[in-house]
Amino acid sequence: MAIPPFHLAFPVDDLAAARAFYGGTMGCSEGRSSDEWIDFDFRGHQIVAHLAPDSAGDRASNAVDGHGVPVPHFGLVMEMTDWENLADRLKAAGTQFVIEPTVRFKGQIGEQATMFFRDPAGNAIEMKAFADPDQLFSK
């Protein structure tokens, strides 16, 4: 069964910086746009950067496996090879990580590679990959 694409609209404070980050650094192709927003193809999902200068960024953090995870955040669960390639691409671009690419819950159910970083507006993004993709929702 195919997973339907999700849609996420989020605030940014600079559309040119969002275009450079999501289009350039992240490699997302651009869809429609206006002076107020830009659509991006986020690996088959539609994300929309909306100009809202006073609303971007996270507001809290929660402890997960010894790290302060920013809240809110969004991201994708990827294949491990794609995750590794993206981690390399982000490192090469000089991306500052909130949580460096790492493996959490090592040796446990739900073992996963994860990384957290921010877009230029301060929005937190998590990209992850599971050692065993079938454990995505395992307890």
Side-chain angles (χ1 to χ4, degrees), residues 1 3 5 7 10 13 15 20 23 25 30 38-39 44 59 68 84 87 91 95 105 110-111 114-115 120-122:
M1 174 173 162
I3 297 174
H7 165 83
F10 58 96
D13 56 2
L15 287 177
T25 303
E30 186 174 321
I38 306 169
D39 283 348
R59 291 172 276 295
E84 291 166 342
K91 287 176 187 175
T95 301
F105 310 125
E111 178 179 320
T114 187
M115 61 181 135

Side-chain angles (χ1 to χ4, degrees), residues 52-75:
D54 297 327
S55 299
D58 62 329
R59 291 172 276 295
S61 66
N62 286 328
V64 178
D65 198 35
H67 295 282
V69 171
V71 177
H73 66 266
F74 69 93

Side-chain angles (χ1 to χ4, degrees), residues 7-10 15 18-19 22-23 28-34 36-42 45-50:
H7 165 83
L8 174 71
F10 58 96
L15 287 177
R19 180 174 275 125
Y22 288 99
C28 300
S29 61
E30 186 174 321
R32 294 167 298 180
S33 67
S34 78
E36 300 290 320
W37 52 269
I38 306 169
D39 283 348
F40 293 101
D41 178 348
F42 193 58
H45 303 282
Q46 183 192 44
I47 60 172
V48 186
H50 282 270

Side-chain angles (χ1 to χ4, degrees), residues 71-88:
V71 177
H73 66 266
F74 69 93
L76 291 175
V77 178
M78 310 172 72
E79 296 291 329
M80 189 63 74
T81 302
D82 293 338
W83 183 89
E84 291 166 342
N85 290 339
L86 179 60
D88 291 344

